[in-house]
Amino acid sequence: MAQSAQPITIARRDQMFPILAEADIERMRRFGAASAYAAGEHIVTAGEVAPGLIVVLSGTVDITQDAGLGRRETIVTHGPGNFIGELAQLSSRPSLVNAEATQPVEAFVIPSQRLRDLMVQEANLGERIMRALILRRVGLLESGTSGPVIIGPVGNGDTLRLQGFLARSGQPHRALDSDTDPCAKTLIERFHVDPHHLPIVLCPNGKLLLNPGEGELARCIGLLRPIDTTKVYDVAIVGAGPAGLAAAVYAASEGLSTIVLDCRAFGGQAGASSRIENYLGFPTGITGMALMARAYNQAQKFGVEMVIPDEARLLSAAVDGYTLDVGDGETVRARTVVIASGARYRRLDIANLAQFEGTSVHYWASPIEARLCSGQEVALVGAGNSAGQAAVYLASQVRKVALLARRGGLDATMSRYLVERIKAQPNIEVLAETEVVALEGHEGNLEAVRWRNRATGTETTRPIRHLFLFIGADPNTDWLAQCNVALDARGFVRTGPDFAPAHGLMETSRSGVFAIGDVRSGSVKRVAAAVGEGAQVVAALHAYLARGDAVAPQAARRQ
């Protein structure tokens, strides 16, 4: 289905802001508690956690978003039968919008936990509410007004890093150019910010951050919350890619208390894919971000605790199962652990590569990168499906794409439909048997790329300012070096009958510790395969927990 050119707030307004029938309201009452608000009362404030989903019985409420420098824009006015809330209310995260009573309001409030109960127990009604919550978040993303404000120079590595993190986390935000935007200059003057401290981030709660790390930013906007160290989860999942999210959805939907950690953002490498066209059930294709966002929201619907970004650093045995040491000195306790930490992007063996990463060398092709190189010639290295998807996407945004492949062609490593599509793009030049040998530029800005034909030795230099790398990935298992989890010669996690005859392919050398997805030795590196393993491992978790082995896990089986 072609996407409407209209803003989503117009094109799908009835689904975003449905009016509930009296029968629906009566079915919802048992999940909430009565509340009343006076005219002029602030019911919800951006940057603060809302009490929950608020169903309006009488009166009116204005929903607004902050538009900068004290200005507010009205999104919608709710009346009787409407409900206040978006995806933040599903997991008790801070609100992205404001809600103010314009008349005396009678309502009832459904807190987050009870909202999730409603989703499960009232499936048809829950579907309508969930759709509205998702569409409201999409509307906020589309408006580019709500959420934190990033202020810094366009193309600055740290500015792009923060934009990328928020985009991959599904968080609405604004980015203002500190050199040209009048609002940005006003804010810099107001807060007396030294230019050397740029970029800065103004959080919805009013706090100002100077070039923060992703974790600091996530805590400021409420994405990352303190871990409850007194709770023992049934399963802790390390990694929020397709495998980890699938395991979380199936585990939580079957009653297992579940926590998911990821050191970057949800979605893994799949989340960075510009379009996935061979995933079952999506005949017109779907972006990796959209697919993974659906899985992320689905997991939260079933009560999965998301701890992102937070990095697992050490796995240790405990009396009641395992402990995971994570960032900021916190600890997660769980009866079982699923390793789904995926893989990390491979880097070119070029001496000065690091100085261009973040500004001119990219490992994914999102709209952020596309805007940076609009109308230019770019180079892309890789010959797999991810490279093909990125090349096709970039070709619609840039003047020319030089696609470099070390092999003699694309057919052996890329799906046929992508090969044909690349051939059909007049502005994609495929350079087979070619490798990058040098990068030229200064102050972190790439100015030229030199490559060599491996068959002839001929070298070519082109004035290219942006290089995209899709050259595969290595297992993300460095954190397991001292955890007594057996790895193969390439660093992938070993699993299988040699370790766990009773539990099949996915249990590791440590009893009660499982591995799935790209990080598992011998796995098929496909999104569908990862999702399948995520579903399959839940049966092994149930079997293990039923045996009671979690009480005293073995330190390690034979290596």
Side-chain angles (χ1 to χ4, degrees):
M1 182 182 296
Q3 186 176 1
S4 172
Q6 292 180 313
I8 196 168
T9 51
I10 296 175
R12 303 183 68 176
R13 191 175 186 82
D14 290 343
Q15 291 179 313
M16 290 180 74
F17 308 115
I19 299 177
L20 300 170
E22 186 59 38
D24 293 332
I25 293 174
E26 289 305 312
R27 287 159 59 196
M28 296 172 68
R29 280 183 187 272
R30 65 188 177 95
F31 297 95
S35 187
Y37 306 95
E41 185 174 349
H42 292 279
I43 302 173
V44 177
T45 301
E48 298 180 6
V49 177
L53 190 85
I54 302 172
V55 180
V56 180
L57 301 176
S58 66
T60 55
V61 179
D62 276 351
I63 306 300
T64 63
Q65 59 185 348
D66 295 323
L69 298 179
R71 295 181 295 110
R72 288 186 174 178
E73 295 178 352
T74 299
I75 299 172
V76 66
T77 298
H78 285 319
N82 290 131
F83 56 86
I84 301 166
E86 60 96 43
L87 282 176
Q89 279 64 67
L90 193 61
S91 55
S92 297
R93 257 62 179 190
S95 176
L96 293 166
V97 298
N98 310 287
E100 181 179 348
T102 52
Q103 298 175 357
V105 171
E106 297 290 332
F108 62 88
V109 180
I110 304 174
S112 294
Q113 177 59 56
R114 295 295 284 156
L115 177 58
R116 295 192 293 269
D117 293 340
L118 184 155
M119 297 281 187
V120 173
Q121 296 175 33
E122 297 284 352
N124 291 335
L125 183 55
E127 178 185 349
R128 292 176 60 200
I129 294 171
M130 188 69 178
R131 181 183 295 113
L133 300 183
I134 292 172
L135 289 174
R136 292 177 187 185
R137 173 59 63 89
V138 173
L140 293 176
L141 288 166
E142 187 180 80
S143 73
T145 301
S146 297
V149 182
I150 303 171
I151 300 167
V154 171
N156 173 273
D158 286 315
T159 303
L160 294 174
R161 171 180 59 82
L162 295 169
Q163 283 184 266
F165 167 70
L166 292 172
R168 294 195 306 278
S169 299
Q171 291 296 303
H173 62 281
R174 282 181 291 161
L176 305 181
D177 185 357
S178 57
D179 294 328
T180 61
D181 191 285
C183 290
K185 293 181 178 181
T186 299
L187 289 169
I188 290 171
E189 292 173 1
R190 175 182 297 179
F191 290 101
H192 307 289
V193 177
D194 188 292
H196 293 95
H197 292 152
L198 295 173
I200 58 174
V201 180
L202 183 61
C203 298
N205 61 9
K207 186 175 182 180
L208 183 73
L209 305 179
L210 304 178
N211 193 14
E214 287 88 337
E216 183 184 2
L217 175 55
R219 290 190 187 279
C220 188
I221 63 177
L223 271 184
L224 191 57
R225 299 178 294 199
I227 295 170
D228 183 357
T229 56
T230 66
K231 181 172 182 177
V232 180
Y233 293 88
D234 290 323
V235 57
I237 300 170
V238 182
L245 289 176
V249 168
Y250 282 97
S253 68
E254 295 181 16
L256 299 181
S257 58
T258 306
I259 186 169
V260 174
L261 303 99
D262 196 290
C263 62
R264 293 182 180 85
F266 69 82
Q269 293 187 59
S273 177
S274 56
R275 181 157 294 273
I276 301 172
E277 295 191 62
N278 56 357
Y279 190 75
L280 188 67
F282 293 91
T284 59
I286 184 170
T287 67
M289 180 62 188
L291 181 63
M292 292 297 98
R294 293 183 184 195
Y296 178 74
N297 294 331
Q298 192 174 15
Q300 291 186 98
K301 167 186 170 180
F302 289 117
V304 175
E305 179 65 28
M306 295 290 181
V307 184
I308 305 173
D310 214 345
E311 185 174 11
R313 295 178 178 172
L314 185 67
L315 171 68
S316 305
V319 173
D320 47 12
Y322 286 97
T323 61
L324 279 164
D325 293 347
V326 297
D328 293 332
E330 293 184 303
T331 300
V332 173
R333 299 166 62 196
R335 301 170 68 196
T336 62
V337 175
V338 173
I339 300 169
S341 47
R344 58 180 181 271
Y345 297 106
R346 285 191 188 132
R347 304 168 73 247
L348 286 178
D349 187 16
I350 302 289
N352 61 344
L353 179 71
Q355 75 180 72
F356 302 114
E357 289 178 319
T359 55
S360 303
V361 173
H362 314 284
Y363 294 90
W364 50 82
S366 75
I368 295 173
E369 289 75 35
R371 285 194 294 271
L372 283 176
C373 52
S374 177
Q376 303 176 30
E377 178 180 357
V378 302
L380 189 152
V381 182
N385 279 1
S386 295
Q389 291 159 353
V392 171
Y393 169 68
L394 289 171
S396 67
Q397 309 290 320
V398 304
R399 179 169 55 84
K400 182 177 181 179
V401 178
L403 178 57
L404 283 60
R406 286 174 57 88
R407 293 174 179 251
L410 305 176
D411 296 272
T413 53
M414 190 179 293
S415 294
R416 189 64 191 170
Y417 79 93
L418 281 171
V419 175
E420 293 297 330
R421 188 166 299 168
I422 286 170
K423 289 180 179 178
Q425 301 299 316
N427 62 336
I428 298 180
E429 178 186 11
V430 178
L431 300 168
E433 296 191 65
T434 302
E435 60 186 359
V436 174
V437 293
L439 304 178
E440 300 173 8
H442 67 282
E443 296 183 353
N445 295 308
L446 187 64
E447 296 175 350
V449 177
R450 186 163 79 247
W451 56 71
R452 178 193 300 125
N453 183 285
R454 302 176 70 214
T456 65
T458 303
E459 293 191 357
T460 302
T461 300
R462 286 191 185 171
I464 289 175
R465 295 166 55 193
H466 292 278
L467 173 66
F468 293 81
L469 301 180
F470 291 83
I471 55 177
D474 296 314
N476 188 16
T477 53
D478 289 350
W479 68 281
L480 292 171
Q482 299 179 3
C483 299
N484 292 323
V485 173
L487 309 178
D488 68 13
R490 298 173 58 200
F492 292 92
V493 179
R494 292 175 60 196
T495 61
D498 288 346
F499 297 135
H503 295 291
L505 294 175
M506 297 177 188
E507 197 165 8
T508 71
S509 58
R510 299 197 74 162
S511 177
V513 178
F514 302 81
I516 58 175
D518 286 1
V519 76
R520 188 177 70 82
S521 180
S523 66
V524 177
K525 314 307 187 205
R526 292 277 190 172
V527 174
V531 170
E533 291 194 7
Q536 186 179 348
V537 76
V538 176
L541 293 175
H542 279 301
Y544 176 84
L545 292 170
R547 283 207 327 260
D549 286 353
V551 175
Q554 302 170 32
R557 295 190 180 93
R558 62 184 181 277
Q559 301 293 303

